Amino acid sequence: MKIAIIGGTGYGAVELVRFLNNHPYAELKAIVSHSQSGVELSDVYPHTTDLINIKMEELDIDALSEVIDLVFFATPSNISKGIIPSFIEKGVKCIDLSGDFRLKSPDAYQKWYQSSPADQNYIDKAVYGLSEIYEEQVKGASLIANPGCFPTATLLALIPVMEQGFTDNNSIIIDAKTGVSGAGRSLSLNVHYSETNDNLKAYKLGEHKHIPEIEQTLQEQSGEDIQVTFSTHLVPMTRGIMSTIYIDLTETKSTADIIDIYKEYYKNHPFVRIRPEGTLPTTKEVYGSNYCDIGFHSDQRTGKLIIISVIDNLVKGASGQAIQNMNLLYGWDVTTGLNYLPIYP
Amino acid sequence: MKIAIIGGTGYGAVELVRFLNNHPYAELKAIVSHSQSGVELSDVYPHTTDLINIKMEELDIDALSEVIDLVFFATPSNISKGIIPSFIEKGVKCIDLSGDFRLKSPDAYQKWYQSSPADQNYIDKAVYGLSEIYEEQVKGASLIANPGCFPTATLLALIPVMEQGFTDNNSIIIDAKTGVSGAGRSLSLNVHYSETNDNLKAYKLGEHKHIPEIEQTLQEQSGEDIQVTFSTHLVPMTRGIMSTIYIDLTETKSTADIIDIYKEYYKNHPFVRIRPEGTLPTTKEVYGSNYCDIGFHSDQRTGKLIIISVIDNLVKGASGQAIQNMNLLYGWDVTTGLNYLPIYP
Amino acid sequence: MKIAIIGGTGYGAVELVRFLNNHPYAELKAIVSHSQSGVELSDVYPHTTDLINIKMEELDIDALSEVIDLVFFATPSNISKGIIPSFIEKGVKCIDLSGDFRLKSPDAYQKWYQSSPADQNYIDKAVYGLSEIYEEQVKGASLIANPGCFPTATLLALIPVMEQGFTDNNSIIIDAKTGVSGAGRSLSLNVHYSETNDNLKAYKLGEHKHIPEIEQTLQEQSGEDIQVTFSTHLVPMTRGIMSTIYIDLTETKSTADIIDIYKEYYKNHPFVRIRPEGTLPTTKEVYGSNYCDIGFHSDQRTGKLIIISVIDNLVKGASGQAIQNMNLLYGWDVTTGLNYLPIYP
Amino acid sequence: MKIAIIGGTGYGAVELVRFLNNHPYAELKAIVSHSQSGVELSDVYPHTTDLINIKMEELDIDALSEVIDLVFFATPSNISKGIIPSFIEKGVKCIDLSGDFRLKSPDAYQKWYQSSPADQNYIDKAVYGLSEIYEEQVKGASLIANPGCFPTATLLALIPVMEQGFTDNNSIIIDAKTGVSGAGRSLSLNVHYSETNDNLKAYKLGEHKHIPEIEQTLQEQSGEDIQVTFSTHLVPMTRGIMSTIYIDLTETKSTADIIDIYKEYYKNHPFVRIRPEGTLPTTKEVYGSNYCDIGFHSDQRTGKLIIISVIDNLVKGASGQAIQNMNLLYGWDVTTGLNYLPIYP
């Protein structure tokens, strides 16, 4: 299978390159970057020296379509919506790591992305690629909207319990924390080392564009009109997301009760690991890997369930899940090219 | 005024030394450490080389009481409760940075500290030294129970709003994050660099002994029977605490409304700084200083108020507030020896 | 091929587990740990949850020898020297990651390790496993002394140039820097997060036990009696070693001249990557991988050649090179199970 | 004494503000910033909220000269050389933290700064403000060229021994390491958190513009024509410089011999602290303070003296030493406004 990546200078692209390099069935044929066209990838990312010999190139949809089966878009918002339709028309499958095709409602896109939405025909065609939840839909898709990093960690942790009937699904609070690589490689004072090291920052309280993405999926899964309180924090570390989730229980449930539900729910999904009672996952325990690890504490005093969900934001939160979706798309084993242990310490 | 510190090898002690070294009215006369008795402080903490020439000594209550006016206890739990009564009897004032005299209920102490409480007479005598809130009581105290780090950041951020009558005080969720120095200088895998760096860990969900301390004060201030959901996270940074607090509003209030209330509440309290709308404090912005900075976001979608409160856990969360209480005790200006800018970056 | 690891709770062991888990020809059958015998590996290292299902066990040489072809020793100094002879006698091959069999001179071992050396017969039998340099010897070995982390980064960077005849080989200064994982998982104030974060420490100047290991190999390669000045620094990062090496040139050579020599020397060795003029490798560019990246600056003003050599101390500096040696031993392609891109960022 | 700072948005400026805020004799009257003219300092640096109420302003030399006694230049290279003469003419003293007036040779400035030098009259007038070494000259100066960060750490560590006659002063190698704040607040990939965290980088080997500054002073102090090998490394920490210095001994000297020389040399200089044998200073042990701590190891095997010298790059390496020079200039005690303990941990 022949692959191209569009958006070649960001962290999403370079993680795709890492996984594709060892994938047995997929071959990376082209990396497109407007700003670095003509430059060797290893000049921009010296860690690929001697291993990846690809010059980045300008986008040429016609030429690419003739040699490529699948395109990954690792572009910022507002780029892929203008390009993907042309690829789809030519029969090339697309996996979009940006947010352009995630929201089904054009009004929501307009409001949260402050920009006009993609063509509604393609929005309708797009499958939301939260692999464990939409596995069947992904298998037949031509266009996959790969989920955001915070929604991935949050939704995998919430969906099994909110369907049980013993939670108040309008009580959800998500206190999310992310490492700095989630902000990408662009320059800003917010990712300046001296401003970020030994510093913890809250940002975009109640205003993050991952909110409508989380709510849309929770609503679809539960059939309820759900609104969540969502806050984000920038943690002085490179990789990792933790979502600490609070939800009211309407019946008394022990931590063990909850764990049983999740173990059963994810028993056929190797990339979700449910932690035993008394332990909680840490972000480093999934470093560099495609796992989402989830732990629980049912607080008997206050009747709240607290869920801790961790992922590597660049892997399960972006490029790893994109590879997982490619595996589903072509009927390969879902762990193909992803079956590596986290790097610890 | 002559001062002694008991518990000389911990971070609390060495921060007290830093502030006392430049305090115009207080003189450090003795540092007590059982484990390091006879050793120069600068051998244990080389950053004090040439500047602090004090040998640590064994505890001798009688001898100390003759030359000392005030003792700071920078000891772990379960130490000061056995020693403080003897000092008080001899007319020496005590400021206890540990938790031994914070909880008024002996049952609560027994439950959360897993240990028998202090003598009830001394518990009754102890003033809870949250300086801005209990300023008057501190002024006349002989024994001050210096607050915990999480309670300080949390209570200063909650008390003004929960008295207003437009909040549901049983909806409070506190998602707290701390730097590693809060765990002290003792050795454990939890503070091992390779296990902690580039890692984010949740711990003691719903089980931290700062919970009863927070609830006791909220109950006293509001007259309501309040229970809070409280979780803690270990962040890969040395100093700093952030409490992200969620509370339901029962009336619509804008962020600006809330800020006005806090500005008024703390107008005579220089160590609490209220941030203008649209900005949120970060932990580094109070690094090394005694400030508690608070920012707000009223989430109109979900009707929740989100409060961000930051302190330096070793300063306003421990030794700085202890110095502030000493200033109050002796009628000195509250900023004496504490009026330094945070160190940034 | 059936494999056992002895010393199961350290970072060296858990990195071996990571690489063996994806190795096509080697199967991990046993992990020996005296302190954690009977415990699941995933209880000690939760990042292996669901992926590695092995209980650690007590050492039983006879039982192991019947089912095992090769043993990796990831033990501290002074352990393997007492065990390895028994395995060798029973025909089990051994790769020792500790220093017990590296020094050929028993006097040197006694002096630098402050302990009595291993049986001289086995020292004579041991091959020093610096893979690129001793490739042929490794292929026929029964006992491989896997090199230390600093010697690996340093020797690969020095050997090609010191054989050229235009360097003063007694002028060598090695200023080495390491991440904290090199100190292992044991507890000490030196690896306490709060003492290590945002801190840079020099240690063991001129006294590190990697000095005789470096000198022994330089002497063997050059035939000269060489002594090096060697200092080590602890850098606040988890992984990575950088050796900055200074050597006097006795003839004028440009940076380009030097690069040509190294490119030629390592042309058949995929794990050594020579950087082009004008760029220097950073430690993160080899993170998690088995690469040693080397860059150069010939300082025309002072006539010194400066060499920058980086490795991941736990991979090429320990477990990765051990796997590389296993590959050589069994005639597999040297990159088998090691052909992964570094993780960046 | 009335003070102005020019270059108000950099780290040098904000550290000057921190020290001036508690200085008993100096009053900060103006902060000049072209890019942020009209903006409150606390909008750019929120850690100064409520404490510093100064709007930054455009440069107006005439107006400033009437109300100001002293100007600190915390500007990048190539700015102060065009402004300082006008201030000097009007009788305003200047302390320049940039490199514009440090090099006495206009050719050296042209070569290393790639820019035309300042007016030679003012270069001749400028005193190199390495406070401990040029104390007497500083006292009578009108224009002080405040030293660079690397030269400060290096020269204080080298000058005492190279005057003794038992060193080969052309053998000097300086392996320098710095925290990231030394690169200032400007944006670049080199200070991007995700590229810098858990990463160690060497840069500008043999090409740093602090080289001629170091050599000029060593030559002046020794009367010899000295050239040094100098390399720099970027360490993942915010503050701190360590210079590891290697120099050949021409006579055998013990570590204790060396320490005696330095203790005597600096006995009247409180900001240089000589460490006892067997201990070496770490960068965190001078964090936030004006101290330069120096430790030694005389390597008997190789006849080299290794010196470890640490400073806080923003304090003794920039703003703190500038305050120290101001104190000297006005005859105040040298520690005025600087007598604070380092912040640890």
Side-chain angles (χ1 to χ4, degrees):
Chain A
M1 211 62 60
K2 305 282 190 292
I3 310 290
I5 297 170
I6 298 185
T9 58
Y11 294 148
V14 84
E15 276 292 81
L16 285 168
V17 169
R18 178 164 73 93
F19 288 113
L20 290 170
N21 190 49
N22 287 86
H23 197 285
Y25 313 131
E27 186 189 0
L28 178 61
K29 296 295 281 183
I31 305 178
V32 171
S33 165
H34 179 63
S35 67
Q36 301 282 333
S37 166
V39 177
E40 285 281 347
L41 182 72
S42 62
D43 288 344
V44 179
Y45 284 107
H47 73 282
T48 67
T49 299
D50 293 358
L51 304 176
I52 309 291
N53 296 306
I54 293 186
K55 270 203 175 67
M56 288 177 278
E57 57 189 64
E58 284 288 350
L59 177 61
D60 181 336
I61 297 176
D62 289 340
L64 270 183
S65 298
E66 285 180 25
V67 292
I68 292 297
D69 301 289
L70 171 70
V71 176
F72 289 102
F73 283 80
T75 43
S77 294
N78 298 323
I79 305 288
S80 69
K81 67 188 177 194
I83 306 173
I84 278 181
S86 307
F87 277 112
I88 300 285
E89 304 256 315
K90 291 173 196 296
V92 177
K93 299 197 177 230
C94 294
I95 298 181
D96 182 13
L97 281 73
S98 87
D100 278 14
F101 292 89
R102 292 182 198 149
L103 300 186
K104 294 299 178 192
S105 152
D107 291 349
Y109 187 90
Q110 182 72 50
K111 174 184 167 194
W112 291 90
Y113 285 76
Q114 306 277 325
S115 168
S116 56
D119 181 329
Q120 191 67 33
N121 290 326
Y122 291 90
I123 291 180
D124 293 345
K125 217 186 279 284
V127 169
Y128 185 65
L130 188 62
S131 315
E132 282 74 13
I133 308 299
Y134 297 101
E135 189 168 353
E136 290 311 312
Q137 294 90 324
V138 166
K139 285 175 179 170
S142 58
L143 166 54
I144 295 171
N146 212 58
C149 50
F150 290 123
T152 296
T154 303
L155 292 167
L156 291 176
L158 263 174
I159 286 171
V161 77
M162 55 173 288
E163 297 176 350
Q164 303 294 322
F166 56 67
T167 52
D168 174 357
N169 294 335
N170 254 310
S171 70
I172 298 168
I173 291 178
I174 303 149
D175 190 284
K177 298 98 177 163
T178 184
V180 182
S181 63
R185 210 186 201 199
S186 307
L187 302 181
S188 83
L189 205 54
N190 217 38
V191 299
H192 189 298
Y193 184 89
S194 303
E195 307 275 324
T196 304
N197 180 42
D198 239 44
N199 200 0
L200 178 63
K201 311 179 196 179
Y203 68 100
K204 288 195 195 164
L205 303 186
E207 293 172 352
H208 198 287
K209 60 190 171 200
H210 285 170
I211 292 175
E213 184 179 337
I214 291 169
E215 290 180 348
Q216 169 180 289
T217 305
L218 292 182
Q219 287 162 10
E220 188 181 309
Q221 290 288 316
S222 70
E224 300 174 63
D225 181 26
I226 292 175
Q227 287 192 304
V228 300
T229 300
F230 180 76
S231 66
T232 41
H233 302 78
L234 190 68
V235 176
M237 59 185 191
T238 304
R239 287 168 179 250
I241 274 180
M242 180 182 286
S243 278
T244 307
I245 303 170
Y246 304 87
I247 184 167
D248 287 351
L249 295 171
T250 56
E251 297 171 28
T252 300
K253 294 287 166 187
S254 69
T255 302
D257 293 337
I258 303 295
I259 287 173
D260 286 346
I261 291 166
Y262 279 76
K263 286 241 178 211
E264 176 64 21
Y265 193 98
Y266 286 118
K267 68 183 172 191
N268 297 320
H269 295 283
F271 288 124
V272 180
R273 303 190 298 186
I274 305 305
R275 291 300 178 85
E277 190 170 359
T279 77
L280 297 168
T282 78
T283 59
K284 205 174 181 71
E285 289 164 3
V286 296
Y287 194 100
S289 82
N290 199 48
Y291 296 95
C292 175
D293 284 15
I294 313 179
F296 305 88
H297 176 77
S298 177
D299 191 338
Q300 306 296 323
R301 293 174 66 253
T302 63
K304 290 197 196 286
L305 174 63
I306 312 179
I307 311 175
I308 303 290
S309 175
V310 301
I311 58 171
D312 183 320
N313 55 300
L314 294 177
V315 187
K316 183 63 177 170
S319 303
Q321 186 157 241
I323 298 288
Q324 187 179 356
N325 284 326
M326 176 184 74
N327 288 341
L328 289 173
L329 208 51
Y330 291 112
W332 304 325
D333 185 281
V334 76
T335 65
T336 310
L338 291 170
N339 56 342
Y340 306 114
L341 279 169
I343 295 208
Y344 192 92
Chain B
M1 211 64 60
K2 307 281 190 291
I3 310 290
I5 296 170
I6 299 185
T9 57
Y11 294 148
V14 84
E15 276 292 82
L16 285 168
V17 168
R18 178 165 73 95
F19 288 113
L20 290 170
N21 190 48
N22 287 87
H23 198 286
Y25 313 132
E27 186 190 359
L28 178 60
K29 296 294 282 184
I31 304 178
V32 171
S33 166
H34 180 63
S35 67
Q36 299 282 334
S37 166
V39 177
E40 285 281 347
L41 183 71
S42 62
D43 287 344
V44 178
Y45 283 108
H47 73 283
T48 67
T49 300
D50 292 0
L51 304 175
I52 309 291
N53 296 305
I54 292 185
K55 269 203 177 67
M56 288 178 278
E57 58 190 65
E58 285 287 351
L59 177 63
D60 180 336
I61 298 176
D62 289 341
L64 270 183
S65 298
E66 284 181 24
V67 291
I68 293 298
D69 300 291
L70 172 69
V71 176
F72 288 101
F73 283 80
T75 43
S77 294
N78 297 322
I79 305 288
S80 70
K81 67 187 178 194
I83 306 173
I84 278 181
S86 307
F87 277 113
I88 299 287
E89 302 258 315
K90 292 173 196 295
V92 177
K93 297 195 178 232
C94 294
I95 298 180
D96 182 14
L97 280 75
S98 87
D100 278 13
F101 292 90
R102 291 182 198 149
L103 300 186
K104 292 301 179 191
S105 153
D107 290 350
Y109 187 90
Q110 181 73 50
K111 174 183 168 195
W112 292 89
Y113 285 75
Q114 305 276 327
S115 166
S116 55
D119 180 329
Q120 190 67 33
N121 290 325
Y122 289 91
I123 291 179
D124 293 346
K125 216 186 278 284
V127 168
Y128 185 65
L130 188 62
S131 314
E132 281 74 13
I133 308 299
Y134 296 101
E135 188 168 354
E136 290 311 312
Q137 294 89 322
V138 166
K139 285 177 179 169
S142 57
L143 165 54
I144 295 170
N146 213 60
C149 50
F150 290 122
T152 295
T154 302
L155 292 168
L156 291 175
L158 263 175
I159 287 171
V161 77
M162 55 173 289
E163 297 175 349
Q164 303 293 324
F166 56 67
T167 52
D168 173 357
N169 294 335
N170 254 311
S171 71
I172 297 167
I173 291 178
I174 302 149
D175 191 284
K177 297 98 176 165
T178 184
V180 183
S181 64
R185 210 187 202 196
S186 307
L187 302 181
S188 83
L189 205 54
N190 217 36
V191 299
H192 188 297
Y193 184 88
S194 302
E195 307 276 324
T196 304
N197 180 43
D198 239 44
N199 200 358
L200 178 63
K201 310 178 195 178
Y203 68 101
K204 287 193 194 166
L205 302 186
E207 293 172 352
H208 198 288
K209 60 190 171 198
H210 285 170
I211 292 175
E213 185 179 336
I214 291 170
E215 291 181 348
Q216 169 180 287
T217 305
L218 292 182
Q219 286 163 10
E220 187 182 309
Q221 289 288 316
S222 69
E224 299 174 62
D225 181 25
I226 293 176
Q227 287 191 304
V228 299
T229 300
F230 180 76
S231 65
T232 41
H233 303 76
L234 190 69
V235 176
M237 60 185 188
T238 305
R239 287 169 180 249
I241 275 180
M242 179 181 286
S243 279
T244 306
I245 303 169
Y246 305 87
I247 184 168
D248 286 353
L249 295 171
T250 55
E251 297 173 27
T252 300
K253 295 288 166 187
S254 70
T255 303
D257 294 337
I258 302 295
I259 287 173
D260 286 346
I261 290 165
Y262 280 76
K263 286 241 177 212
E264 175 65 21
Y265 193 97
Y266 286 117
K267 70 182 171 192
N268 297 319
H269 294 283
F271 287 124
V272 180
R273 304 190 297 186
I274 305 305
R275 290 300 178 84
E277 190 170 358
T279 75
L280 296 168
T282 78
T283 59
K284 205 174 181 72
E285 290 165 2
V286 297
Y287 195 99
S289 82
N290 200 48
Y291 296 95
C292 175
D293 284 15
I294 313 179
F296 305 89
H297 176 76
S298 178
D299 191 337
Q300 305 296 324
R301 293 174 67 254
T302 62
K304 289 197 195 287
L305 175 63
I306 312 180
I307 310 175
I308 303 289
S309 175
V310 301
I311 59 171
D312 183 321
N313 56 300
L314 294 177
V315 188
K316 184 62 176 169
S319 303
Q321 186 157 242
I323 299 287
Q324 187 178 357
N325 284 325
M326 176 184 75
N327 289 342
L328 289 173
L329 206 54
Y330 291 112
W332 303 325
D333 185 282
V334 75
T335 65
T336 310
L338 291 170
N339 56 341
Y340 306 114
L341 279 169
I343 295 207
Y344 192 91
Chain C
M1 212 62 60
K2 306 281 189 293
I3 309 290
I5 298 171
I6 299 185
T9 57
Y11 294 148
V14 85
E15 277 292 81
L16 285 169
V17 169
R18 178 163 75 92
F19 288 113
L20 289 171
N21 189 48
N22 287 87
H23 198 285
Y25 313 131
E27 186 188 359
L28 178 61
K29 296 295 280 184
I31 305 178
V32 171
S33 166
H34 179 64
S35 68
Q36 300 282 335
S37 165
V39 178
E40 284 281 347
L41 182 72
S42 62
D43 288 343
V44 178
Y45 283 107
H47 74 282
T48 67
T49 299
D50 293 359
L51 304 176
I52 308 291
N53 295 305
I54 293 187
K55 270 204 177 64
M56 289 177 276
E57 58 191 64
E58 284 288 351
L59 176 62
D60 180 336
I61 298 176
D62 290 340
L64 270 183
S65 298
E66 285 180 23
V67 291
I68 293 298
D69 301 290
L70 171 70
V71 177
F72 289 102
F73 283 80
T75 43
S77 294
N78 296 322
I79 305 287
S80 69
K81 68 187 177 194
I83 305 173
I84 278 181
S86 307
F87 277 111
I88 300 286
E89 304 256 315
K90 291 173 197 294
V92 177
K93 298 198 177 229
C94 293
I95 298 181
D96 182 14
L97 281 73
S98 86
D100 279 13
F101 291 90
R102 292 181 198 149
L103 301 186
K104 293 299 179 192
S105 151
D107 290 350
Y109 187 89
Q110 182 73 49
K111 174 184 168 194
W112 292 89
Y113 284 76
Q114 306 276 326
S115 168
S116 55
D119 180 329
Q120 190 67 32
N121 289 326
Y122 290 91
I123 292 179
D124 292 346
K125 216 185 279 283
V127 169
Y128 185 65
L130 188 62
S131 316
E132 282 74 14
I133 308 299
Y134 296 101
E135 190 168 352
E136 290 311 312
Q137 295 88 324
V138 166
K139 285 176 180 169
S142 57
L143 165 55
I144 296 170
N146 212 59
C149 50
F150 290 122
T152 296
T154 302
L155 291 168
L156 291 176
L158 263 175
I159 287 171
V161 76
M162 56 174 288
E163 298 176 350
Q164 304 294 321
F166 56 68
T167 54
D168 173 357
N169 295 335
N170 255 310
S171 71
I172 298 168
I173 291 178
I174 302 149
D175 190 284
K177 298 97 175 165
T178 183
V180 182
S181 63
R185 210 186 200 196
S186 308
L187 302 181
S188 83
L189 205 53
N190 217 37
V191 298
H192 188 298
Y193 184 88
S194 303
E195 308 276 324
T196 305
N197 180 43
D198 239 44
N199 199 0
L200 177 63
K201 311 178 196 179
Y203 67 102
K204 287 195 195 165
L205 304 185
E207 292 172 351
H208 198 288
K209 59 190 171 200
H210 285 170
I211 292 175
E213 185 179 336
I214 292 169
E215 291 181 348
Q216 169 181 287
T217 305
L218 292 182
Q219 287 162 10
E220 187 181 311
Q221 289 288 316
S222 69
E224 299 174 62
D225 179 26
I226 293 177
Q227 287 191 303
V228 299
T229 299
F230 180 76
S231 66
T232 42
H233 302 77
L234 190 68
V235 177
M237 59 186 190
T238 304
R239 286 169 181 251
I241 275 180
M242 180 182 285
S243 278
T244 307
I245 303 169
Y246 304 86
I247 184 168
D248 286 353
L249 295 170
T250 55
E251 298 172 26
T252 300
K253 295 288 166 185
S254 70
T255 302
D257 294 337
I258 303 294
I259 286 173
D260 287 346
I261 291 166
Y262 279 76
K263 287 240 179 212
E264 175 65 20
Y265 192 98
Y266 286 117
K267 69 182 172 192
N268 296 319
H269 295 283
F271 288 124
V272 180
R273 303 190 297 186
I274 304 306
R275 290 300 179 85
E277 188 169 1
T279 76
L280 296 169
T282 78
T283 58
K284 206 175 181 70
E285 290 165 3
V286 296
Y287 195 99
S289 82
N290 199 48
Y291 297 94
C292 175
D293 284 15
I294 312 179
F296 305 89
H297 177 76
S298 177
D299 192 338
Q300 306 296 324
R301 294 174 66 253
T302 63
K304 290 197 195 286
L305 174 63
I306 312 180
I307 311 174
I308 303 291
S309 175
V310 300
I311 59 170
D312 183 322
N313 55 301
L314 294 177
V315 188
K316 183 62 176 168
S319 303
Q321 186 157 244
I323 299 288
Q324 187 178 357
N325 284 325
M326 176 185 74
N327 289 341
L328 290 174
L329 207 52
Y330 291 111
W332 304 325
D333 186 283
V334 76
T335 66
T336 310
L338 291 170
N339 56 341
Y340 306 116
L341 279 168
I343 295 208
Y344 192 92
Chain D
M1 212 62 61
K2 306 282 189 292
I3 310 291
I5 297 170
I6 298 184
T9 58
Y11 295 148
V14 86
E15 276 291 82
L16 285 167
V17 169
R18 178 163 75 94
F19 288 113
L20 290 170
N21 189 48
N22 287 86
H23 197 285
Y25 313 132
E27 187 188 359
L28 178 61
K29 296 295 281 183
I31 305 178
V32 171
S33 165
H34 180 63
S35 66
Q36 300 283 332
S37 167
V39 177
E40 284 281 347
L41 183 72
S42 62
D43 288 343
V44 179
Y45 284 107
H47 74 282
T48 67
T49 299
D50 293 359
L51 304 176
I52 307 292
N53 296 305
I54 292 186
K55 270 202 175 69
M56 287 177 279
E57 58 189 65
E58 284 287 353
L59 177 62
D60 180 337
I61 298 176
D62 289 341
L64 269 183
S65 297
E66 285 181 25
V67 291
I68 292 297
D69 301 290
L70 172 70
V71 176
F72 288 102
F73 283 80
T75 43
S77 294
N78 296 324
I79 305 288
S80 69
K81 67 188 178 195
I83 305 173
I84 278 180
S86 306
F87 277 111
I88 300 286
E89 302 258 315
K90 292 174 196 294
V92 177
K93 298 196 177 230
C94 294
I95 298 181
D96 182 15
L97 281 73
S98 87
D100 278 13
F101 293 89
R102 291 183 198 149
L103 300 186
K104 294 300 178 191
S105 152
D107 291 349
Y109 186 89
Q110 183 71 50
K111 174 183 169 195
W112 292 89
Y113 285 76
Q114 306 275 328
S115 169
S116 56
D119 180 328
Q120 190 67 32
N121 291 325
Y122 290 92
I123 291 179
D124 292 345
K125 217 186 279 283
V127 169
Y128 186 63
L130 188 61
S131 315
E132 282 74 13
I133 308 299
Y134 296 101
E135 189 169 354
E136 289 312 312
Q137 295 90 321
V138 166
K139 284 176 179 169
S142 58
L143 166 53
I144 296 170
N146 213 60
C149 50
F150 290 121
T152 296
T154 303
L155 291 168
L156 291 176
L158 263 175
I159 288 172
V161 76
M162 55 174 288
E163 297 175 350
Q164 303 295 322
F166 56 68
T167 53
D168 173 357
N169 295 335
N170 255 310
S171 69
I172 297 169
I173 291 178
I174 301 149
D175 190 284
K177 297 99 176 165
T178 182
V180 181
S181 64
R185 210 187 201 196
S186 307
L187 302 181
S188 84
L189 205 54
N190 217 36
V191 299
H192 189 298
Y193 184 88
S194 303
E195 307 277 324
T196 305
N197 180 43
D198 239 45
N199 200 358
L200 177 64
K201 310 178 196 179
Y203 67 102
K204 287 193 195 166
L205 303 187
E207 293 172 351
H208 198 288
K209 60 190 169 199
H210 285 171
I211 292 174
E213 185 180 336
I214 292 169
E215 291 181 348
Q216 170 180 286
T217 305
L218 292 182
Q219 286 162 10
E220 187 181 310
Q221 289 288 316
S222 70
E224 300 174 63
D225 181 26
I226 292 176
Q227 287 193 304
V228 300
T229 300
F230 179 76
S231 66
T232 41
H233 303 77
L234 190 67
V235 177
M237 60 185 190
T238 305
R239 287 168 179 250
I241 276 180
M242 179 181 286
S243 279
T244 306
I245 303 168
Y246 304 86
I247 184 167
D248 287 352
L249 295 171
T250 55
E251 297 172 27
T252 301
K253 294 288 165 184
S254 70
T255 303
D257 293 338
I258 303 295
I259 287 174
D260 286 346
I261 290 165
Y262 279 76
K263 286 242 178 210
E264 176 64 21
Y265 193 96
Y266 287 117
K267 70 183 171 191
N268 297 319
H269 295 284
F271 288 124
V272 180
R273 304 189 296 186
I274 304 307
R275 291 301 179 83
E277 188 170 359
T279 77
L280 297 169
T282 78
T283 59
K284 205 174 182 71
E285 290 164 2
V286 297
Y287 195 99
S289 82
N290 199 48
Y291 296 94
C292 175
D293 284 14
I294 312 178
F296 305 88
H297 176 77
S298 177
D299 192 338
Q300 304 297 324
R301 294 175 65 253
T302 63
K304 289 198 195 283
L305 174 63
I306 311 179
I307 311 175
I308 304 290
S309 175
V310 301
I311 59 170
D312 183 321
N313 56 301
L314 294 177
V315 187
K316 184 62 177 169
S319 303
Q321 186 157 243
I323 299 288
Q324 185 179 359
N325 283 327
M326 176 184 75
N327 288 341
L328 289 173
L329 207 51
Y330 292 112
W332 304 325
D333 185 283
V334 77
T335 66
T336 310
L338 291 170
N339 55 342
Y340 306 115
L341 279 169
I343 296 208
Y344 193 93

